[in-house]
């Protein structure tokens, strides 16, 4: 053993030495992570071959050979764009360009789309205000978001008060996807809280009813609940009363989402030590005060990452509303590629739809992971 | 332990503060409390000790209805504990409790922890509640931590905040459920000093603890419990020097010579 | 909660006070009263709904009852596990629909399990590139709606397959084209049963060998190469019987016909897309379960096992996997449930599962309530059965391990 102690260093004065070259730098990294054994090397080569099989053809199709621009006749207004304008052999992106407005706003009239934009800006701004660290006083934002915003958004989107009425049949595209999943998640929060408290209640009847509801809604597929909302719900209303199809779907989605929300909140409640309940009770707080001031603020904090995940799945599940003939984002893209001008653009449509969905959901899932990490450091030093 | 600071013995009045008569409790088939009879006068300081599982914590948790007793009678300051929610509310307002694991609310600052109950239960204006809270924080000697979150404090500091939190309700009785057993040795003293100060001010206290130095200094009565029964109770001097029951002797020899 | 600062004196201090407390102030009675109110509210609401329902049914002239199940359905299915005709009653179509759902879900679950296991192990690999590929797969699948994946496989990938005359083929036995996947079908001849018996017997022998090897190891310490020996038995015995009996199983190989292939087994593109799409999608979730299950076993366990001198292979089998399995089983149960539930998307790509058949039946008969009830009952009982079986298995694993 070569021993550095023989070089006559006094205790505590031994200098730091750099590691051997084979352990550090690019070569060290490659050796450790890609070529540590013959089996490892084989795997690496196999992986490179797999990437070679998939990535270059896709890049060629989607970028190098793709058609991005309209032909001059379209720009000068002589004809409308169509699939035969794409002659380069790759992806026909002019399909997406031509239909972009429809993909995002559905059949909402061009002249009124500013209203949707305002709602979207308000939505993003208030969610940022609610979640951002640097905004300190969140109470007015919360009041705005949960009380004023829904009414304002409804008036802006639907019309009335001097605004032209846009019936819900004209809503569609990414906007409709956001509306359905957003309303589903916002309304499922209070119902979910009540269901979660009910499931943990010591009153047997309340516990049983809440458990039955939660397990029922989680045991059947969303699509069957949509089917029920579509064909069965109207039969339970008093004769003469009719709900708009969108309202019926929203009721179904909200009830479905509440069951999952309840389980997420129940998880948050279970994460709290019993001492928090005892501390609050010993201080003389009543049940609802204890829930509002001590338990819920902590349980919801724990549950936020899962709530975001619920929102992600709900946004994806919203594609199922196509079954009752609503034109959500995916359905309107599919409808677009069935247009006789655009036969054969399915793949472009699906790839575009997939990329948008992916970016939206991936960003949110990263955010929820970030929250989860922050939770562990939370109010600590 | 600061044994030399013999607590001045504040007056113990004849007025009954807590009365337990024939209290029994079961967890399923398990009989945790067996015919507990205990009377605590205003200003009395009582230390309860006994082996783990002897029912000491359960007994004091019955006093503010964290546990429900199934037989017998508990009266606190003239109010009987029944299923009447009004009575439970009143008693919890008059009885402060300090827990082994502090049970501070981690999402609130120290000051918010202290003012929560005065604001929401006693309906005191926020300004006033904060003044009272600062007063008690000074009394437990950590006013500078008011704006911090519980997670940022040491265990001893957290327990002192918990004591101050209970005091903010201006309780007539304080219950301590093993307040020092979750603490590192070097932090025990700072908490005990606060408790001794509290005793000197004449607070009625019931402490479940194994700190025998504390018992000798401040208690007027030491109670020994085993298997759900009160085996023996006496003044500290007599209790430690001449325990009457064999079980008490065994228990004392185990905790004192270890 | 009432917070009035009442005077303490009116709280009576004698032992009989709780007989006179008003019920809204009594803990227990208040609970009872609250429950009674809930029950009454639910009953009243339910009564209101049912009254509306009956009124509406009468107004529309639709009776309630299951008699419509005997009516002739009058629509054809593109795929059916049991034979059906245009004259089959609706009830039979629903049974076929349920079976179609279960068949598709079963194959999807198998694909999901194996692909998920593979991706999960890749994700845990020390090889950076392999691990990244698995992570990319998982992130792509999980952030794209399942329906989009299904229509992509069906409308995007499978339509690009060649026409029948340009079919892709493997050894002229298996053909793939736009009309589906064509495979040889085994046709049993006399003696085929013996081959089957040989196969079953081989599995029995293999289990016996494993037991014997275990007992011998426990008794004498000698180890036995169980895996290769059993592999040889399970493959070898039926093959030997097959050859000995003069190949009693004939293969009905698909033959190119005028428009399409005839003979053999055909798997329609709808079913292929559903099984592939659902299987590959669920695989991403399975992979995450595998990964988090194995990661949930603390590193100290590995170190302790290696320090005891166990080889890494044994460390995995004897220490890590038994602990990881316990963590993995509950989420795996819910993934299998999800496969069954998600198979309702089959209707979007034209595979006749229970949901799409019920949708059509409801459309034709107008019997909304009955159809929804049958649908819910089916999915709830499948959920219940799967969770009962898996929970039973889960408990067994727990007990064996303790």
């Amino acid at each position: 053993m070569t021993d550095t102690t023989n070089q006559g260093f006094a205790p505590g004065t031994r200098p730091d030495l750099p590691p051997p070259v084979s352990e550090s730098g690019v070569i060290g990294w490659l050796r450790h992570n890609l070529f540590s054994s013959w089996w490892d090397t084989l795997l690496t080569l196999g992986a490179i071959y797999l990437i070679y099989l998939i990535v270059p053809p896709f890049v060629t199709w989607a970028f190098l050979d793709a058609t991005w621009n309209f032909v001059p006749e379209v720009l000068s207004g002589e004809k409308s764009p169509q699939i035969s304008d794409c002659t380069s052999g790759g992806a026909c992106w002019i399909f997406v360009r031509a239909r972009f407005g429809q993909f995002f706003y559905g059949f909402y009239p061009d002249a009124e789309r500013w209203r949707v934009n305002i709602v979207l800006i308000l939505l993003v701004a208030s969610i940022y205000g609610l979640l951002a660290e640097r905004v300190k006083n969140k109470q007015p934002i919360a009041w705005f978001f949960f009380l004023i915003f829904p009414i304002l958004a409804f008036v802006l989107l639907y019309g009335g008060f001097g605004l032209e009425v846009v019936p819900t049949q004209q809503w569609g595209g990414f906007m409709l996807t956001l509306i359905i999943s957003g309303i589903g998640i916002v309304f499922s929060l209070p119902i979910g809280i009540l269901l979660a408290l009910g499931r943990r209640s010591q009153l047997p009847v309340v516990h049983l009813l809440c458990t039955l509801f939660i397990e029922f809604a989680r045991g059947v597929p969303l699509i069957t609940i949509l089917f029920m909302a579509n064909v069965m719900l109207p039969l339970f209303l008093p004769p003469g009363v009719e709900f708009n199809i969108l309202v019926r779907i929203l009721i179904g989605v909200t009830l479905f989402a509440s069951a999952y929300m309840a389980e997420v909140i129940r998880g948050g409640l279970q994460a709290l030590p019993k001492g928090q309940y005892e501390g609050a009770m010993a201080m003389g707080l009543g049940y609802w005060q204890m829930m509002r001031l001590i338990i819920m603020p902590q349980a919801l904090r724990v549950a936020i990452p899962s709530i975001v995940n619920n929102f992600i799945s709900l946004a994806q599940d919203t594609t199922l509303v196509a079954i009752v003939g609503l034109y959500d984002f995916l359905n309107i893209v599919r409808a677009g590629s069935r247009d006789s001008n655009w036969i054969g653009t399915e793949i472009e449509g699906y790839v575009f739809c997939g990329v948008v969905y992916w970016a939206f959901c991936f960003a949110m899932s990263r955010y929820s992971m970030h929250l989860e990490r922050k939770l562990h450091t939370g109010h600590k030093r | 332990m600061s044994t030399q600071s013999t607590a001045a013995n504040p007056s113990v009045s004849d007025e009954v503060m807590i009365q337990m008569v024939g209290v029994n409790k079961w967890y399923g088939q398990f009989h945790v409390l067996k015919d507990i009879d205990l009377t605590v006068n205003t200003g009395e300081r009582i230390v309860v000790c006994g082996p783990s599982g002897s029912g000491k914590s359960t007994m004091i948790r019955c006093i503010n209805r964290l546990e429900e007793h199934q037989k017998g009678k508990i009266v606190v300051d003239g109010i009987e504990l029944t299923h009447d929610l009004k009575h439970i509310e009143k008693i919890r307002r008059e009885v402060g409790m300090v827990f082994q694991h502090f049970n501070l609310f981690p999402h609130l600052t120290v000051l918010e922890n202290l003012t929560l109950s005065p604001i929401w239960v006693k309906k005191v204006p926020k300004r006033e509640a904060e003044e009272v809270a600062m007063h008690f924080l000074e009394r437990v000697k950590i006013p500078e931590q008011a704006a911090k979150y519980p997670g940022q404090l040491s265990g001893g500091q957290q327990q002192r905040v918990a004591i101050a939190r209970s005091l903010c309700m201006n309780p007539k009785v304080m219950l301590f459920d093993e307040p020092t057993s979750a603490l590192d040795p070097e932090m025990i003293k700072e908490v005990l000093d606060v408790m001794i100060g509290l005793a000197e001010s004449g607070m009625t206290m019931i402490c479940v603890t194994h700190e025998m130095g504390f018992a000798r200094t401040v208690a007027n009565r030491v109670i020994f419990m085993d298997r759900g029964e009160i085996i023996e109770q006496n003044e500290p001097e007599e209790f430690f020097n001449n325990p009457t029951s064999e079980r008490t002797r065994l228990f004392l020899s185990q905790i004192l010579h270890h | 909660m009432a917070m009035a600062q009442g005077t303490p004196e009116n709280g009576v201090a004698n032992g009989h006070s709780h007989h006179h407390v008003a019920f809204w102030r009594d803990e227990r009675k208040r609970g009872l009263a609250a429950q009674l109110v809930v029950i009454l509210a639910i009953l009243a609401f339910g009564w209101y709904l049912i009254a509306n329902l009956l009124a509406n049914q009468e107004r529309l002239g639709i009776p309630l009852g299951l008699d419509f199940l005997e009516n002739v359905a009058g629509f054809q299915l593109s795929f059916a596990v049991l034979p059906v005709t245009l004259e089959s009653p609706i009830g039979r179509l629903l049974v076929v629909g349920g079976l179609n759902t279960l068949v598709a879900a079963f194959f999807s679950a198998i694909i999901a399990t194996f692909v998920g296991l593979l991706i999960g192990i890749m994700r845990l690999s020390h090889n950076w590139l392999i691990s990244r590929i698995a992570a990319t797969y998982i992130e792509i699948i999980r952030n794209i709606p399942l329906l989009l994946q299904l229509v992509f496989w069906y409308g995007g990938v499978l339509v690009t397959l060649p026409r029948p005359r340009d079919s892709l083929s493997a050894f002229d036995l298996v053909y793939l084209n736009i009309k589906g996947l064509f495979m040889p079908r085994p046709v049993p001849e006399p003696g085929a049963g013996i081959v089957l018996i040989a196969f079953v017997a081989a599995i029995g022998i293999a289990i016996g060998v494993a037991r014997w090897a275990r007992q011998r190891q426990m008794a004498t310490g000698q180890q036995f190469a169980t895996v290769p020996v059993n592999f040889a038995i399970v493959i070898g015995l039926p093959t030997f019987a097959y050859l000995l009996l003069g190949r009693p199983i004939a293969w009905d190989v698909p033959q190119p016909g005028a428009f399409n292939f005839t003979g053999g087994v055909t798997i329609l593109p709808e079913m292929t897309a559903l099984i592939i799409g659902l299987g590959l999608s669920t695989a991403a979730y399975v992979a995450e379960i595998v990964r988090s299950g194995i990661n949930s076993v603390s590193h100290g366990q590995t170190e302790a096992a290696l320090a005891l001198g166990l080889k890494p292979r044994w460390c995995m089998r004897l220490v890590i996997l038994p602990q990881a399995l316990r963590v993995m089983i509950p989420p795996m149960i819910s993934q299998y449930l999800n496969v069954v539930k998600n198979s309702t998307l089959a209707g979007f790509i034209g595979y006749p599962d229970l949901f799409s058949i019920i949708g059509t039946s409801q459309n034709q008969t107008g019997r909304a309530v009955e159809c929804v009830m049958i649908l819910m009952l089916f999915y709830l009982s499948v959920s219940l059965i799967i969770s009962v079986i898996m929970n039973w298995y889960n408990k067994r694993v727990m007990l064996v391990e303790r």
Side-chain angles (χ1 to χ4, degrees):
Chain A
M1 202 184 255
T2 52
D3 197 346
T4 41
T5 47
N6 289 339
Q7 292 176 4
F9 290 116
T13 61
R14 205 167 279 111
D16 291 337
L17 298 174
V21 185
S22 62
E23 288 297 308
S24 65
V26 178
I27 296 177
W29 188 88
L30 285 176
R31 260 185 56 136
H32 267 280
N33 293 299
L34 296 178
F35 305 102
S36 62
S37 64
W38 65 267
W39 168 241
D40 206 23
T41 309
L42 204 67
L43 283 178
T44 304
L45 293 178
I48 291 174
Y49 182 65
L50 190 70
I51 294 171
Y52 167 78
L53 280 184
I54 295 172
V55 174
F58 181 77
V59 169
T60 313
W61 175 81
F63 298 101
L64 303 180
D65 286 353
T67 306
W68 296 89
N69 294 315
F70 293 120
V71 290
E73 292 92 319
V74 172
L75 293 176
S76 60
E78 288 164 38
K79 70 182 200 83
S80 49
Q82 57 193 37
I83 179 86
S84 54
D85 296 346
C86 292
T87 47
S88 55
C92 186
W93 293 128
I94 58 174
F95 162 61
V96 173
R97 281 187 66 175
R99 296 267 172 165
F100 199 77
Q102 206 183 57
F103 288 173
F104 276 86
Y105 300 97
F107 309 107
Y108 214 83
D110 283 353
E112 306 293 329
R113 286 181 182 170
W114 59 272
R115 286 154 51 177
V116 181
N117 295 342
I118 289 183
V119 171
L120 198 64
I121 291 168
L122 284 176
L123 176 77
V124 172
S126 37
I127 288 182
Y128 175 81
L130 281 178
L131 297 177
E133 284 283 289
R134 76 175 76 141
V135 184
K136 286 287 171 244
N137 192 0
K138 297 188 193 297
Q139 207 149 12
I141 304 177
W143 283 113
F144 170 78
F145 185 67
F146 287 104
L147 286 180
I148 304 172
F149 177 74
I151 302 167
L152 194 66
F154 176 77
V155 171
L156 275 170
L157 290 175
Y158 184 74
F161 296 99
L163 289 170
E164 189 194 324
V165 169
V166 182
T168 56
Q169 285 82 353
Q170 294 184 17
W171 300 10
F174 197 67
M175 167 190 128
L176 186 65
T177 295
L178 278 185
I179 289 175
I180 294 176
S181 46
I183 289 184
I185 221 70
V186 168
F187 281 85
S188 68
L189 192 62
I191 304 178
I193 289 176
L194 289 180
L195 283 172
L197 291 179
R199 190 164 188 178
R200 283 169 66 87
S201 166
Q202 285 168 0
L203 307 176
V205 170
V206 176
H207 168 84
L208 184 73
L209 285 173
C210 291
T211 309
L212 274 181
F213 176 83
I214 293 171
E215 291 305 326
F216 171 78
R218 283 158 43 91
V220 299
L222 171 60
I223 206 168
T224 61
I225 292 187
L226 296 180
F227 181 65
M228 182 163 82
N230 190 26
V231 303
M232 204 166 101
L233 186 68
L235 292 174
F236 284 110
L237 296 173
V241 178
E242 270 183 37
F243 279 174
N244 179 317
I245 174 76
L246 182 60
V247 175
R248 296 206 298 266
I249 289 308
L250 283 175
I251 292 175
V253 166
T254 304
L255 290 180
F256 178 77
S258 327
Y260 286 83
M261 190 64 90
E263 286 301 273
V264 162
I265 290 168
R266 193 163 71 107
L269 288 172
Q270 276 167 346
L272 285 190
K274 216 173 130 223
Q276 291 293 312
Y277 292 86
E278 291 178 350
M281 280 196 279
M283 288 173 69
L285 295 180
Y287 178 81
W288 293 105
Q289 279 182 328
M290 169 172 83
M291 284 302 163
R292 187 160 57 93
L293 298 168
I294 306 299
I295 306 302
M296 274 303 153
Q298 297 186 64
L300 286 181
R301 222 182 107 82
V302 176
I304 285 180
S306 316
I307 294 177
V308 175
N309 289 341
N310 268 3
F311 180 61
I312 296 174
S313 359
L314 196 59
Q316 297 189 3
D317 284 345
T318 301
T319 50
L320 304 191
V321 301
I323 198 80
V324 295
L326 292 179
Y327 284 94
D328 74 301
F329 187 41
L330 175 61
N331 202 20
I332 211 161
V333 171
R334 291 183 77 194
S337 56
R338 279 197 296 264
D339 184 323
S340 58
N341 275 345
W342 297 108
I343 294 294
T345 51
E346 274 101 348
I347 299 211
E348 283 84 348
Y350 295 152
V351 168
F352 170 71
C353 190
V355 167
V356 172
Y357 253 113
W358 185 85
F360 184 70
C361 297
F362 183 74
M364 279 200 301
S365 71
R366 284 291 133 143
Y367 177 68
S368 116
M369 280 162 73
H370 160 78
L371 281 179
E372 210 156 353
R373 262 198 304 272
K374 218 173 62 181
L375 208 63
H376 293 297
T377 48
H379 293 306
K380 304 267 165 61
R381 350 187 151 221
Chain B
M1 237 99 302
S2 56
T3 8
Q4 74 274 35
S5 72
T6 30
N9 207 351
S11 61
V12 176
S13 82
D14 297 337
E15 194 188 321
V16 176
M17 179 57 81
I18 298 172
Q19 195 178 21
M20 302 175 89
V21 184
V23 172
N24 279 275
K25 176 168 178 59
W26 290 263
Y27 287 131
Q29 291 298 307
F30 180 52
H31 199 172
V32 251
L33 294 181
K34 302 170 185 163
D35 280 329
I36 300 286
D37 289 316
L38 177 68
T39 307
V40 182
N41 288 350
T42 306
E44 258 200 297
R45 297 163 308 278
I46 293 179
V47 164
V48 185
C49 60
S52 67
S54 59
K56 351 178 256 297
S57 288
T58 311
M59 182 181 79
I60 68 164
R61 287 156 62 90
C62 280
I63 296 174
N64 68 347
R65 237 325 145 98
L66 288 183
E67 308 277 356
E68 190 182 323
H69 62 284
Q70 284 126 0
K71 217 176 130 202
K73 189 164 100 166
I74 302 178
V75 183
V76 181
D77 195 26
I79 310 167
E80 188 185 354
L81 260 184
T82 58
H83 288 287
D84 189 339
L85 291 166
K86 267 261 162 60
H87 291 192
I88 298 174
E89 274 168 37
K90 260 183 221 154
I91 286 173
R92 283 185 179 160
R93 249 180 277 173
E94 293 188 2
V95 178
M97 185 164 203
V98 176
F99 299 87
Q100 180 178 4
H101 295 288
F102 331 133
N103 294 354
L104 292 176
F105 305 129
H107 63 304
L108 303 176
T109 62
V110 166
L111 192 62
E112 285 166 345
N113 261 285
L114 264 65
T115 55
L116 182 87
S117 198
I119 291 176
W120 290 97
V121 179
K122 276 191 154 178
K123 313 248 153 110
V124 174
K126 192 175 171 205
R127 277 272 309 282
E128 207 176 297
E130 284 180 350
E131 276 166 29
V132 174
M134 285 314 293
H135 164 75
F136 283 113
L137 277 183
E138 269 156 37
R139 222 171 123 179
V140 301
K141 303 188 185 69
I142 37 174
E144 71 284 359
Q145 311 285 8
K148 288 197 180 162
Y149 285 97
Q152 296 170 298
L153 306 182
S154 74
Q157 288 173 325
Q158 290 194 36
Q159 193 59 297
R160 284 187 281 157
V161 171
I163 295 174
R165 181 174 75 174
S166 298
L167 291 176
C168 281
M169 283 298 280
N170 205 5
K172 293 185 175 166
V173 186
M174 286 283 282
L175 307 175
F176 291 84
D177 189 358
E178 309 208 20
T180 53
S181 47
L183 296 177
D184 292 335
E186 76 271 18
M187 293 170 183
I188 291 178
K189 184 175 174 304
E190 62 186 61
V191 171
L192 287 180
D193 283 348
V194 168
M195 288 168 64
I196 291 168
L198 200 58
E200 283 164 355
S201 73
M203 174 66 74
T204 314
M205 294 163 66
I206 304 181
C207 314
V208 173
T209 183
H210 291 155
E211 297 294 335
M212 289 306 142
F214 173 79
R216 273 184 209 274
T217 323
V218 301
N220 356 47
R221 222 184 331 156
V222 181
I223 293 178
F224 175 70
M225 285 184 73
D226 192 14
R227 292 176 214 166
E229 286 176 277
I230 294 183
I231 305 290
E232 180 167 356
Q233 46 180 315
N234 217 330
E235 290 184 355
E237 212 48 35
E238 279 296 292
F239 180 84
F240 289 112
N241 296 341
N242 301 309
T244 48
S245 117
E246 184 53 39
R247 280 198 245 171
T248 318
R249 225 168 287 149
L250 182 67
F251 175 73
L252 285 177
S253 73
Q254 278 167 349
I255 65 166
L256 292 180
H257 307 298
H258 241 285
Chain C
M1 208 132 292
M3 280 296 147
Q5 296 274 358
T7 45
E9 295 86 73
N10 60 16
V12 200
N14 60 48
H16 315 290
S17 57
H18 45 275
H19 298 302
H20 311 300
V21 180
F23 78 86
W24 63 84
R25 270 175 48 183
D26 187 303
E27 261 186 309
R28 295 168 304 181
K29 288 183 195 151
R30 205 158 82 150
L32 281 178
Q35 301 192 62
L36 206 64
V37 169
V38 170
I39 292 178
L40 286 179
I42 297 267
L43 283 180
F45 189 60
W47 183 75
Y48 171 74
L49 291 182
I50 288 174
N52 281 341
L53 172 71
L54 293 176
N56 281 321
Q57 297 268 25
E58 194 173 345
R59 186 170 53 87
L60 297 170
I62 307 171
L64 274 174
L66 292 174
D67 51 298
F68 74 103
L69 292 178
E70 285 158 24
N71 296 358
V72 169
F75 55 91
Q76 195 47 281
L77 304 181
S78 59
F79 172 83
V81 175
L82 302 176
V84 283
T85 62
L86 269 173
E87 279 75 42
S88 300
I90 292 180
R92 182 172 172 87
L93 258 67
L94 294 188
V95 171
V96 168
L99 291 173
N100 279 357
T101 291
L102 293 179
V103 165
F106 177 73
F107 286 112
S108 305
I110 289 179
I111 290 186
T113 309
F114 284 101
V115 177
L117 211 58
L118 178 72
I119 304 274
I121 293 168
M122 281 170 69
R123 185 73 185 81
L124 287 165
S125 167
H126 294 292
N127 186 306
W128 183 83
L129 210 50
I130 294 284
S131 167
R132 289 323 298 165
I133 288 178
T136 310
Y137 177 85
I138 294 171
E139 287 298 352
I140 288 180
I141 294 282
R142 291 208 305 180
N143 288 309
I144 291 181
L146 174 61
L147 179 58
L148 177 51
Q149 296 177 37
L150 289 183
V151 295
F152 175 79
W153 285 112
Y154 184 62
V157 174
L158 293 186
V159 291
T160 61
L161 287 173
R163 292 167 194 289
R165 77 173 76 140
D166 307 318
S167 295
L168 304 173
S169 84
F171 313 111
D172 284 341
L173 290 174
V174 179
Y175 296 90
L176 182 66
N177 63 40
I178 195 164
K179 297 234 167 122
L181 177 67
F182 301 86
M183 292 185 301
R185 185 166 61 96
V187 182
E189 284 167 12
I194 298 176
V195 179
L196 193 70
I197 291 169
F199 181 65
V200 173
I203 291 175
I205 293 172
I207 294 172
V209 168
R211 281 215 181 137
W212 166 82
R214 190 89 197 235
Q215 275 169 6
R216 195 183 66 151
Q217 186 186 352
M218 290 304 135
T220 66
Q222 279 178 293
Q223 295 185 359
F224 184 76
T226 315
V227 174
V229 169
N230 275 349
F231 192 73
I233 291 175
V234 172
I235 297 293
L237 198 60
T239 314
F240 181 67
Y242 177 68
L243 294 175
L244 196 71
L245 292 168
R247 307 186 176 193
I249 299 173
W251 292 92
D252 177 13
V253 179
Q255 298 297 326
F259 298 103
N260 205 346
F261 288 87
T262 51
V265 186
T266 310
I267 300 181
L268 294 176
E270 289 82 18
M271 189 172 181
T272 319
L274 179 67
I275 291 174
I276 292 178
L278 198 51
L280 292 187
S281 163
T282 313
Y285 296 89
V286 172
E288 279 298 272
I289 293 171
V290 171
R291 182 173 79 110
S292 59
I294 290 184
N295 277 347
S296 76
V297 182
S298 79
H299 194 58
Q301 294 287 314
T302 318
E303 287 176 346
L306 294 178
L308 284 171
L310 289 176
K311 285 182 197 146
R313 191 159 46 97
W314 288 107
C315 159
M316 193 58 156
R317 234 197 82 182
L318 297 174
V319 177
I320 309 294
L321 274 186
Q323 298 186 56
L325 272 180
R326 258 191 252 170
V327 181
M328 282 159 55
I329 287 172
M332 283 300 285
I333 298 171
S334 54
Q335 279 315 318
Y336 290 136
L337 286 176
N338 274 347
V339 170
V340 176
K341 288 197 268 173
N342 284 335
S343 68
T344 41
L345 269 55
F348 281 100
I349 55 174
Y351 177 80
D353 76 319
L354 179 66
F355 177 73
S356 61
I357 294 176
I358 285 208
T360 315
S361 312
Q362 189 276 326
N363 217 342
Q364 288 193 349
T365 60
R367 301 295 190 89
V369 180
E370 297 87 337
C371 283
V372 169
M373 293 290 168
I374 294 172
L375 201 57
M376 300 282 174
L377 208 65
F378 174 78
Y379 286 104
L380 283 180
S381 25
V382 171
S383 295
L384 200 67
I385 291 169
I386 293 186
S387 40
V388 165
I389 293 174
M390 291 306 239
N391 282 334
W392 168 80
Y393 176 72
N394 198 14
K395 257 190 205 128
R396 232 180 57 122
V397 172
M398 296 283 199
L399 282 179
V400 169
E401 296 307 328
R402 287 269 154 90

